[in-house]
Amino acid sequence: GLASLAPLLRGIQNQQYGAYKRLSGAFTSPAYELHFDHIQNDLFAPPSRLRVRVPQSVAGFPVEMLANKTRTTALADFVLRAVYRYILTKSPRRFSRNRGRSEGPHSPRRGLLAVDVGGQRVLPRSALLMDTENVELRFYYRLPAQADPAISALTELLPKLIKQTLHYTSYDAAAVAAFVDCVEDQATLRMLLREHGLVAFVPNGAILPRESGASDRPLATADAVPFQSPPSLEVSLSLPHRGKVTGMGIRRGVTLIVGGGFHGKSTLLQALEMGVYNHIPGDGREFISADVGLLKVRAEDGRAVTRVDITPFINNLPRGKSTQNFTTADASGSTSMAATIQEGLEMGCTGFLFDEDTCATNFLIRDYRMQHLVPKVREPITPLIAKVRALHAEHGVSSIMVIGGCGDYLDVADTVIGLDQYVPADLKIQVADVVSRFPLPSPPEADGESYGTLPTRRPVFPAFTDGKPLVRVSALHQVTLLVPLASSSGVTSDVTAAGMETVATARAPPSEPIWDLSGLDQLAEVAQTRCIAGILETIMVHQQQNKQQASAKSPTMREMLDEWKARFGQASHAAVVHPSTKVGPASLPSPYAARLPGNWSEPRLLELGSAINRLRGFTFTT
Ligand code: ADP
Ligand code: MG
């Protein structure tokens, strides 16, 4: 029982560090259970992993707060933030100064106890799980050299923390409801977009700019120009809690965001990129909403591309290299964009976001003079301008593009939003005037042609080496990839998820990441990267298992993502197992499995698929 914890710790007081291993397992009481899931080997190892579980009969969070996944997620996020604040106020300085492995901004905070709290977004997080049965908090604690501080931390501070933050009665009910309702409204708004023919929405009064390039907090009110929709683009939507919300609706089709340099174009696009997530109240971007199927596309020089049909955009490469089945370990700006678009369509995207700043110019246009200088037969690239209308007409896929210099696009746009000193205007009349006065000498190349073929592929991961999966999530919550490096095939190498953007080999410099996710602008936090790597492990374990069972065909990319969509939807920590303990179709593990780390957050399916598409060392069949 829990009562034995203090005596046990006192017994460890003057012993070797290894004596802490005696704490392994669970200490129970009617009020809560305390689990030691992993105990660090020495003082300097990554911190120990612990878990507290409080039954709802004690915690008392009302069932209407847990009515659906959105509300549950919001409530858990709210409680986790309260836990974090509580720990901060109680942490003695000397603990927060503890030096250790450097971790990203969203990693477990250093201090007395550490939790992986989120930033500006509200996401399902493994640090705090909530259902109608239990509240479960997963945290980290660096066990001290002498057990004394651990006695006060775990037998005095922790019970207080539980009472103060994991019991509903310690909260102002109105404040909890306001947070949960705000998040539910945001999720509802995103669902409403499609009904109204919209792909995105920006409410009047929203604060788009951030404090700085390095901060995700809003720019101070005194400096920020609040968003105000042009009257002609204004729409009003009705939300369950907040009621009517009015702002700019971006319709399906091709939308351009134009304007002078430094007038706020990229800031608007970035707000839309993040509009696929719900934000905390006060962020300034609450209710900026984007269809969950929107994917940012950018040039990613050097990315890996594996067996993608890029023929809609690229044909007749030098030396007869196939573009129907295009593979490269080092893509160019334009081939990377072609691949990302085709992969996006394969995954079921509903729209693309482009910023001219980060696109390859030769992928966007081929202007009049170039068409004459370099004949079409010598140019492998059909630029996006020739396909962007067909994308919408044939596949219902919209595009929102920030354009500063390529005026040719005015010919193919449905809507043109002009930004002037951060204030948007509907440029419909001005555009019609410019287009008629300065017609293009020839229509965009290949105008009228159909879009071309869409890929359907089945990812096939390499066979395990020595029966080990290629990705492993260790007890220390480090994600490890054991991938045969393309350059030295057959050699396995330990790789860890170092930051949000890269999964790099432990010893190789970050300039040689094996799994480079820096092109995924909509990946929001490193906790999502960890989850993605963990899911990859599961997928590969499962695929290996299936291979042994029968000649089962591996699922297509779309099927794979759909399966994860269903699994995220049913997320509950009660009924699932850790991937390494049991794997099979009937017991597919969830990222919320009981023994999994407390520092994962749920990625969007498009980031999961995009990450897989950037993995080196695997292949696809059709
Ligand atoms: P562009 O892409 O048009 O060149 P940016 O979007 O990069 O311009 O914005 C330029 C600068 O203006 C950035 O520092 C940004 O934070 C700031 N900014 C953008 N929108 C606003 C706004 N609504 N109010 C105040 N500052 C803004
Ligand atoms: Mg810009």
Side-chain angles (χ1 to χ4, degrees), residues 71-278:
R71 290 182 75 78
T72 309
T73 299
L75 178 61
D77 195 282
F78 180 89
V79 171
L80 182 58
R81 285 168 202 275
V83 171
Y84 175 61
R85 279 194 306 272
Y86 186 87
I87 292 171
L88 270 195
T89 59
K90 301 294 171 196
S91 289
R93 282 226 161 160
R94 61 197 164 95
F95 280 103
S96 50
R97 290 234 186 89
N98 259 357
R99 285 193 41 190
R101 296 162 56 89
S102 96
E103 284 170 320
H106 299 283
S107 291
R109 306 296 162 138
R110 245 144 253 304
L112 196 46
L113 308 174
V115 288
D116 189 43
V117 71
Q120 297 298 97
R121 277 159 285 278
V122 178
L123 291 172
R125 301 176 186 287
S126 63
L128 202 131
L129 300 162
M130 178 97 65
D131 61 19
T132 49
E133 304 286 304
N134 297 292
V135 180
E136 185 172 302
L137 173 71
R138 297 172 186 184
F139 61 98
Y140 296 83
Y141 179 54
R142 194 175 295 279
L143 287 163
Q146 293 294 310
D148 241 7
I151 299 174
S152 67
L154 299 177
T155 68
E156 290 160 31
L157 178 87
L158 186 62
K160 275 189 223 147
L161 178 144
I162 292 168
K163 266 218 186 83
Q164 290 297 310
T165 64
L166 302 185
H167 291 179
Y168 181 62
T169 47
S170 36
Y171 291 103
D172 168 12
V176 185
F179 186 97
V180 171
D181 290 351
C182 175
V183 173
E184 190 175 34
D185 271 348
Q186 294 179 51
T188 309
L189 176 54
R190 202 167 294 107
M191 308 289 283
L192 286 176
L193 294 178
R194 289 189 189 181
E195 258 173 54
H196 288 80
L198 303 176
V199 286
F201 175 84
V202 185
N204 295 336
I207 302 296
L208 281 57
R210 300 293 96 189
E211 210 167 53
S212 75
S215 162
D216 202 27
R217 290 170 196 275
L219 188 65
T221 336
D223 303 323
V225 177
F227 191 85
Q228 181 61 47
S229 171
S232 56
L233 301 178
E234 213 161 62
V235 291
S236 290
L237 302 167
S238 173
L239 304 178
H241 306 289
R242 188 188 150 123
K244 199 172 87 165
V245 53
T246 302
M248 182 176 81
I250 298 182
R251 318 213 132 263
R252 286 194 208 118
V254 179
T255 301
L256 306 185
I257 299 168
V258 305
F262 228 61
H263 279 253
K265 302 183 298 297
S266 298
T267 303
L268 174 54
L269 195 79
Q270 281 155 13
L272 297 178
E273 287 166 23
M274 286 297 136
V276 300
Y277 298 112
N278 301 325

Side-chain angles (χ1 to χ4, degrees), residues 454-494:
L454 306 186
T456 305
R457 301 167 302 156
R458 299 169 188 277
V460 177
F461 300 100
F464 297 177
T465 42
D466 348 316
K468 280 189 204 143
L470 286 155
V471 180
R472 213 174 43 212
V473 181
S474 73
L476 297 172
H477 68 74
Q478 293 293 334
V479 172
T480 303
L481 278 178
L482 302 168
V483 179
L485 291 165
S487 52
S488 50
S489 63
V491 179
T492 58
S493 141
D494 275 337

Side-chain angles (χ1 to χ4, degrees), residues 1-19:
L2 203 53
S4 64
L5 179 60
L8 236 168
L9 283 168
R10 257 177 250 122
I12 291 169
Q13 175 63 1
N14 287 314
Q15 299 200 21
Q16 296 280 326
Y17 200 87

